[in-house]
Amino acid sequence: MIAEFLLPDLGEGLPEAEIVQWLVDEGDEVSLNQTIAEVETAKAVVEIPSPYAGTVRGIHAAAGDVVAVGSPLVSFAVGEADATPTPPGVAPRSAESAADTPAADDAEPRVADEPRTTERESAPAATPNLVGYGAAPASGARPRRRPRAAGTTATAEIEHAVHRSAPHDVVPAAAADSAPERPRSTPPVRKLAKDLGVDLVLVAAAYPGDLVTRAHVEEFAARAASTGAASVAPTPARASADPFSLASTVPPAVSSDPRTTRTPIRGVRKHTAAAMVRSAFTAPHATTFLTLDVTATTELLASLKTDRALDGHRIGVLAIVAKAVCLALGRTPALNARWDEGAGEIVEHHFVNLGIAAATDRGLVVPVVRDADALPLVDLADAIAELAGTARAGRTAPADMTGGTFSITNVGVFGVDAGTPILNPGEAGILAVGAVRRTPWEHHGEIALRDVLTLSLSFDHRLVDGAEAARFLTDVAGVLREPGRAMLLR
């Protein structure tokens, strides 16, 4: 019997994945739960285990191909006993009916914080294990389409818009079955958008409503031109395709012009682009700066390095800043909140899930330290180091990059002093930490060489007033100037 394994929903509502490499070939014998491939989503590289014990009869996508969730991935030759019960993401079929089996219906993903080891330890030996990413058993129905609801344009549609838009830390975790309808507009407006090189999906995201008008397109194009934002006009191949098709044509890797190179927008870059477009067009950004003397902090860190009790722990400036941020957020809760447009509410968090931006070979990712405010300094430093290492290796789980309430980006590691970081969607603030420089500085009425750095705080001006942002930055700076002041903030 031939059983076809369909690419499952990898747990975050992501609509597609790119094949990184195959670990099996056609004709290979595989065992249950043997790793057969590595795939890259917009958030992580994921290992795919075999749902069957059998023989690989067909591989339906090559390394580098982008495969939509629910599309055939690999076929197995299995016995009747091995083919039941049907595991998630698998469509058993006879060879004669293989072409007629519908794609599996989407299902509710597991809770992101559910330990992935629980099912592996308690499940029967014959149960396939999709390492926490498998969907529930399929219903056999085709995927449903939901109409676009008012107020959801800026979240659901941007995920699809990036297929046709040009590209900095998370695509909204939309359900696998949510396929927004094409933006409503008239033929002249669509032609105008094409002539101006504007994507209508991004216009609809920027101007929520029932109909995209000529004025919307013209204003969007003017704003994009004034800010230097790129907006790519659809090619003829794209224009003729379903605008939300996950198998849409991508540009060739090499341009016909030898002086230019075209690279498909995929994975983390596409994910980052969607997040930044969404943030830039929904949250009014403002940034404030503070340059300060952190010599007391660097002296503290030097003394900690000689403490044998801390052998094996790497505590640096970033860890001290992260601890100061957690303490300061307790005094400025507006920066640890979320603007809920749909409900017309401000959601204030009574915990801190701290995002730490990490530059990787795959692009910029922001893994999250959960309940960072409850961690002692040493544990916080260890958590940051572990997440950063996992991110650089490309092994961060999708669930570890969601749910942040405030973020930090350490631009100082690149020798940069300051910047204007863009907010993560759903967060009210992000703090950029500049390089520590030995600088002439006024100290006790005299000029002395001191360790100096600059903090740059970007915030959502809908949620945070300038006075609140200044108070938060002053509180963080107070801890860095005199680490002992941390005891006064809690």
Side-chain angles (χ1 to χ4, degrees):
M1 178 178 181
I2 301 298
E4 195 169 74
F5 180 34
L6 311 178
L7 179 66
D9 179 351
L10 301 180
E12 291 295 319
L14 301 173
E16 63 188 17
E18 180 180 347
I19 307 298
V20 176
Q21 65 172 330
W22 284 102
L23 304 179
V24 296
D25 292 317
E26 291 186 12
D28 286 358
E29 295 288 334
V30 296
S31 58
L32 184 68
N33 293 330
Q34 175 182 335
T35 301
I36 59 174
E38 290 183 348
V39 302
E40 181 179 14
T41 70
K43 296 184 178 181
V45 174
V46 178
E47 293 181 343
I48 300 294
S50 171
Y52 285 127
T55 304
V56 177
R57 282 299 174 88
I59 292 177
H60 304 302
D65 287 352
V66 177
V67 181
V69 169
S71 296
L73 192 63
V74 59
S75 298
F76 299 92
V78 297
E80 294 289 342
D82 295 328
T84 56
T86 301
V90 179
R93 56 182 69 188
S94 64
E96 295 80 7
S97 63
D100 298 325
T101 302
D105 191 11
D106 57 294
E108 186 75 18
R110 289 194 182 94
V111 177
D113 291 333
E114 178 183 350
R116 297 191 197 90
T117 57
T118 303
E119 181 178 337
R120 181 178 299 178
E121 295 169 355
S122 60
T127 300
N129 175 18
L130 293 183
V131 291
Y133 294 101
S139 67
R142 293 188 180 276
R144 299 183 300 276
R145 289 179 63 88
R146 294 177 180 170
R148 183 179 70 213
T152 64
T153 309
T155 56
E157 291 189 353
I158 292 178
E159 178 177 350
H160 301 275
V162 191
H163 283 285
R164 301 176 306 282
S165 67
H168 163 292
D169 298 4
V170 185
V171 174
D177 65 348
S178 61
E181 294 179 349
R182 183 177 180 176
R184 295 182 57 200
S185 61
T186 62
V189 172
R190 289 195 291 272
K191 183 178 185 304
L192 175 64
K194 182 178 179 180
D195 293 342
L196 294 178
V198 169
D199 193 315
L200 279 178
V201 178
L202 294 179
V203 178
Y207 304 94
D210 292 334
L211 184 68
V212 176
T213 67
R214 174 181 290 270
H216 291 155
V217 173
E218 291 173 343
E219 184 176 349
F220 184 94
R223 291 175 61 185
S226 65
T227 59
S231 182
V232 178
T235 64
R238 288 174 179 171
S240 62
D242 177 0
F244 303 116
S245 170
L246 297 176
S248 60
T249 303
V250 296
V254 179
S255 170
S256 58
D257 185 344
R259 296 175 299 174
T260 63
T261 300
R262 289 179 175 267
T263 302
I265 304 169
R266 294 177 176 172
V268 171
R269 175 57 58 195
K270 182 170 68 175
H271 171 74
T272 300
M276 294 304 100
V277 169
R278 177 180 166 212
S279 178
F281 283 101
T282 56
H285 286 56
T287 306
T288 186
F289 307 87
L290 181 60
T291 301
L292 63 146
D293 180 354
V294 295
T295 306
T297 291
T298 57
E299 290 174 349
L300 171 64
L301 293 174
S303 68
L304 294 179
K305 288 181 180 179
T306 63
D307 190 336
R308 293 185 178 180
L310 297 177
D311 285 349
H313 302 281
R314 295 181 59 186
I315 304 175
V317 172
L318 182 59
I320 301 291
V321 172
K323 188 62 181 178
V325 163
C326 291
L327 294 172
L329 287 174
R331 282 168 45 90
T332 313
L335 273 160
N336 196 42
R338 175 172 59 87
W339 183 277
D340 189 336
E341 184 73 36
E345 297 174 337
I346 294 174
V347 182
E348 187 176 300
H349 306 294
H350 303 295
F351 57 90
V352 178
N353 285 348
L354 191 61
I356 304 294
T360 73
D361 292 339
R362 299 171 58 239
L364 182 66
V365 297
V366 190
V368 175
V369 180
R370 302 195 182 279
D371 296 313
D373 55 318
L375 295 178
L377 177 61
V378 175
D379 293 345
L380 183 56
D382 289 346
I384 292 172
E386 181 180 358
L387 284 180
T390 303
R392 283 190 290 268
R395 298 294 179 182
T396 304
D400 291 336
M401 289 185 279
T402 60
T405 64
F406 187 93
S407 293
I408 298 175
T409 177
N410 186 9
V411 299
V413 297
F414 305 109
V416 174
D417 294 322
T420 55
I422 297 179
L423 296 168
N424 275 330
E427 297 180 14
I430 179 171
L431 183 69
V433 183
V436 177
R437 300 191 184 279
R438 197 73 171 162
T439 305
W441 197 261
E442 188 276 330
H443 180 64
H444 296 320
E446 297 180 354
I447 299 299
L449 284 177
R450 306 290 289 177
D451 292 331
V452 175
L453 66 71
T454 298
L455 300 175
S456 310
L457 173 68
S458 289
F459 55 95
D460 185 340
H461 224 323
R462 297 174 301 179
L463 289 158
V464 184
D465 296 332
E468 293 174 305
R471 180 170 65 245
F472 170 83
L473 207 53
T474 301
D475 284 342
V476 173
V479 174
L480 298 178
R481 287 191 183 104
E482 301 178 58
R485 292 184 63 84
M487 292 185 290
L488 300 178
L489 296 180
R490 205 65 156 197

